Every structure is written in C-alpha cells, then in structure tokens.
Amino acid sequence: MLLDSDILIYAAQPEQASLRDLIVEHTPAVSAISVTEVLGFYRLQPGTGSCWSNSLH
C-alpha cells in the first residue's frame, strides 16, 4: 500500500484513530516527499503530527 500525504494528514486528526490503526496495521510505503509534507504541514494541531513521527522514516 502506498499512501499519499493527504491521507496521512487526514488520518492524523484525533477522531480518525481507526484509520490510523488500519494504516499502521498494513505497514504502508510512504515517499520521502510525503514524509516532509506530513511532518511539516502547518495546519496540523500540536501533537497530531507526532502520531506519525515514529512511523514515517
């Protein structure tokens, strides 16, 4: 599974816990550009991007 940054940003929202679980369960591929886009997305609430910081490398 290859995920786009928009999906990861959407899944980082607090109410999307089940989507995050699904993503982590399937160990997706994520491009280096998507990692930069997600972790640097300016509209993420404080702490929401951290759900991906350990998973996206």
Side-chain angles (χ1 to χ4, degrees):
M1 171 184 346
L2 176 63
L3 293 180
D4 180 62
S5 56
D6 293 328
I7 299 297
L8 295 170
I9 291 167
Y10 178 76
Q13 297 175 24
E15 61 274 7
Q16 299 303 325
S18 60
L19 179 56
R20 285 192 303 279
D21 292 341
L22 179 69
I23 290 169
V24 170
E25 179 182 319
H26 290 284
T27 316
V30 179
S31 74
I33 297 298
S34 290
V35 171
T36 303
E37 289 175 342
V38 169
L39 298 181
F41 186 63
Y42 73 99
R43 290 180 52 195
L44 282 179
Q45 297 298 319
T48 56
S50 64
C51 68
W52 299 126
S53 59
N54 293 329
S55 301
L56 302 178
H57 32 17

